[in-house]
């Protein structure tokens, strides 16, 4: 249905051009684009032999240092996209790939937007994203999103990766430390809680100013041991 929307077709064309210009080791680059015989727009990305972060969440053999390293790479990718005016709008474990050399790739910019000074003045009330990871403002439409929206989704992803569940799934609001029996790892987890809580604040103005700020907090917590 959306493929027949002329406004979205134009937006897809513009955004695929913008995303193709993103050149970062932690972002899958668009290398071609076009229209199928059925009239559906598409873009082409390199194939990377990898697993999604969703699969890593289910494993119990990934230590906390490895997880922090994944998050640091993801932050680098997202910060780079933001510096180039791109909001992802669908940060979630399924959109993060980890290859067999441990390199993280952020994918699926299909509903991302070019963030300009005029964004807040548009009347686009389409709601796009993934419910569990969407910030409150994103439910009002894509024109209400900003870099802070991605930070909220990143915070949700961090909680899912580190604790194995989303915040809403924590019994009595308590975080799940069960996957980590080591006292040092539990200390890392407890240090991460304030970062995550700030990132998933319902009020966008209470979140970290940039993804680079989140990354810096992760580096401080890791104390260089990543």
């Amino acid at each position: 249905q959306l493929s027949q929307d002329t406004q979205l077709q134009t937006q897809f064309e513009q955004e695929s051009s913008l995303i193709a210009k993103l050149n970062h080791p932690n972002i899958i680059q668009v290398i071609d684009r076009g229209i199928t015989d059925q009239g559906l727009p598409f873009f082409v990305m390199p194939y990377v032999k990898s697993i999604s972060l969703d699969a890593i969440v289910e494993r119990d053999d990934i230590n906390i240092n490895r997880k922090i390293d994944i998050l640091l790479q993801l932050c680098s990718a997202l910060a780079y996209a933001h510096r180039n005016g791109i909001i992802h709008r669908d940060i979630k474990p399924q959109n993060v790939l980890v290859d067999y050399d441990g390199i993280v790739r952020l994918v699926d910019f299909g509903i991302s937007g070019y963030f300009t000074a005029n964004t807040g003045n548009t009347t686009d009330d389409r709601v796009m994203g993934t419910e569990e990871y969407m910030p409150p403002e994103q439910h009002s439409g894509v024109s209400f999103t900003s870099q802070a929206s991605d930070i909220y989704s990143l915070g949700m992803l961090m909680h899912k990766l580190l604790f194995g569940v989303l915040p809403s799934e924590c019994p009595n609001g308590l975080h799940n430390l069960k996957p980590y029996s080591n006292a040092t790892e539990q200390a890392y987890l407890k240090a991460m809680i304030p970062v995550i809580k700030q990132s998933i604040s319902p009020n966008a103005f209470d979140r970290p100013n940039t993804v680079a700020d989140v990354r810096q907090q992760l580096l401080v917590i890791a104390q260089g041991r990543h």
Side-chain angles (χ1 to χ4, degrees), residues 198-223:
Q198 183 185 9
S199 298
I200 63 174
S201 171
N203 188 335
F205 295 103
D206 291 334
R207 300 170 200 158
N209 291 327
T210 66
V211 176
D213 292 340
V214 176
R215 185 176 185 276
Q216 182 58 36
Q217 291 184 65
L218 295 182
L219 285 170
V220 171
I221 291 169
Q223 296 178 337

Side-chain angles (χ1 to χ4, degrees), residues 176-192:
N176 177 26
L177 299 179
K178 187 177 179 181
Y180 308 96
S181 57
N182 182 288
T184 302
E185 290 193 332
Q186 290 199 10
Y188 274 135
L189 267 288
K190 290 176 181 177
M192 288 291 297

Side-chain angles (χ1 to χ4, degrees), residues 4 10 20 33 39 43 45-47 56 58 75 79 82 93 105 144 146 157 161 168 171-172 180 182 184 211:
Q4 305 306 314
T10 301
R33 55 195 171 90
F43 55 75
M45 299 173 289
Y47 172 74
I56 290 178
E58 302 300 322
C75 285
H82 286 178
R105 299 317 202 290
F144 293 89
S146 67
L157 179 147
L161 176 62
S168 59
N172 303 317
Y180 308 96
N182 182 288
T184 302
V211 176

Side-chain angles (χ1 to χ4, degrees), residues 67-129:
K67 291 181 177 179
I68 290 178
D69 180 62
I70 289 171
L71 292 174
L72 287 169
Q73 292 185 64
L74 176 57
C75 285
S76 292
L78 194 53
Y80 173 83
H82 286 178
R83 288 196 302 271
N84 284 273
I86 301 291
I87 304 169
H88 190 285
R89 291 203 187 103
D90 198 21
I91 299 296
K92 59 183 177 180
Q94 295 94 323
N95 284 340
V96 180
L97 303 180
V98 183
D99 72 16
Y100 292 92
D101 292 320
I103 305 300
V104 172
R105 299 317 202 290
L106 179 59
V107 301
D108 197 359
F109 282 84
I111 61 170
S112 64
Y114 189 50
F115 184 60
T116 68
N118 294 324
T119 301
N121 297 325
T122 68
T123 57
D124 192 345
D125 59 357
R126 294 179 178 86
V127 178
M128 298 180 178

Side-chain angles (χ1 to χ4, degrees), residues 34-42:
I35 304 291
T36 68
D37 293 339
Q38 292 75 33
L40 298 175
F42 68 88

